[in-house]
Amino acid sequence: MKKFALGFFILVSATELVAHVLDWPTVRHFSKPLLLVFLGLYYYVSVERNQLSKLVVFALIFSWGGDVLLIYQSKHELYFVFGLASFLVAHLFYIFTYRQFRSEDNSNALLGVQRFRYSFPVILAGTGLITVLYNHLGDLKIPVVIYALVLVFMVLNALFRFGRTRLISFSMVFFGATLFMISDSLIAINKFLMPVAYSGFWVMITYITAQYLIVEGLLRHKQ
């Protein structure tokens, strides 16, 4: 069942990316909503029932909601706003998920100056993007800034799992969270600042990879 779910996730992902390259909007209406369905199914069949995390499930559900709402953002600005809100909630669930999927032993964790040093590039990237985009956000200044701050906090919480889980789990989740930030940054740049060539393709390939790495990384966590 795991191979079935993962295989269909890969197939739907490839379909979504090809649909962006070849500009098949009708195909994307079917492929995009199925991405998180099959990834969620993959997570569900990969864990024992007593180890199933409701936080992961809710993060995927709200990510799915954001995917569906953003399909229709060209029809009305409210679809973008509600899509943004849905992803914001997903990030909040991921923040609590990262705290759940780490050991209590922090003897090897990032502490003090180390934590600040490794956090700085993430904070700089997030605040830098907000600074560049701020004057172009119009009426969406407040929601976009709030979303960006939560997004940065999500990546930082992935970073703070270092030393409190297996290295493979930390690496996959942190790289996935970083790709999520890159994907959302591409959306913001393309929407508010300037057109990005093949933006849909780059947004989706980073997003799909991000979601998979986060889920796979969490599955590989061991206390």
Side-chain angles (χ1 to χ4, degrees):
M1 190 65 175
K2 283 174 60 177
K3 291 182 178 179
F4 168 83
L6 184 59
F8 269 91
F9 172 71
I10 293 171
L11 178 62
V12 172
S13 298
T15 303
E16 171 71 11
L17 295 175
V18 169
H20 273 283
V21 173
L22 299 180
D23 193 22
W24 293 341
T26 303
V27 173
R28 298 204 308 269
H29 276 70
F30 293 96
S31 59
K32 192 176 183 183
L34 288 175
L35 290 168
L36 273 295
V37 172
F38 285 113
L39 185 60
L41 178 62
Y42 173 68
Y43 173 72
Y44 182 79
V45 299
S46 297
V47 294
E48 301 292 336
R49 295 290 75 81
N50 63 335
Q51 295 179 334
L52 183 73
S53 170
K54 292 181 180 179
L55 293 174
V56 177
V57 173
F58 281 123
L60 293 174
I61 288 173
F62 279 95
S63 293
W64 175 84
D67 283 346
V68 173
L69 287 165
L70 291 183
I71 291 174
Y72 304 101
Q73 61 179 305
S74 61
K75 296 183 181 296
H76 199 285
E77 190 73 9
L78 279 178
Y79 283 107
F80 177 80
V81 174
F82 287 131
L84 196 73
S86 190
F87 273 117
L88 185 145
V89 176
H91 290 316
L92 291 174
F93 276 114
Y94 272 135
I95 289 168
F96 290 113
T97 296
Y98 301 156
R99 295 183 177 189
Q100 179 187 50
F101 282 73
R102 66 186 188 187
S103 68
E104 294 300 319
D105 180 13
N106 65 352
S107 56
N108 295 315
L110 298 175
L111 299 172
V113 176
Q114 270 190 325
R115 178 174 280 214
F116 175 78
R117 182 191 307 153
Y118 288 106
S119 300
F120 185 72
V122 178
I123 296 171
L124 183 63
T127 54
L129 183 65
I130 293 172
T131 301
V132 170
L133 293 177
Y134 189 77
N135 290 330
H136 302 273
L137 297 176
D139 294 335
L140 296 178
K141 279 187 175 69
I142 293 176
V144 170
V145 169
I146 292 173
Y147 181 87
L149 293 175
V150 172
L151 180 61
V152 168
F153 196 52
M154 185 272 291
V155 179
L156 290 177
N157 274 268
L159 173 66
F160 296 155
R161 293 178 73 243
F162 181 83
R164 303 181 70 172
T165 184
R166 297 170 66 199
L167 182 59
I168 185 65
S169 176
F170 163 77
S171 300
M172 294 183 83
V173 171
F174 178 64
F175 187 46
T178 303
L179 282 177
F180 214 139
M181 186 173 178
I182 291 172
S183 179
D184 283 349
S185 298
L186 287 171
I187 292 175
I189 291 170
N190 185 70
K191 182 176 180 63
F192 298 111
L193 189 61
M194 63 182 182
V196 177
Y198 298 105
S199 61
F201 174 84
W202 295 115
V203 165
M204 290 310 299
I205 196 170
T206 49
Y207 171 73
I208 291 168
T209 307
Q211 291 279 28
Y212 169 73
L213 286 175
I214 290 171
V215 169
E216 188 65 46
L218 294 173
L219 286 171
R220 299 193 185 202
H221 169 72
K222 291 287 188 294
Q223 293 290 346

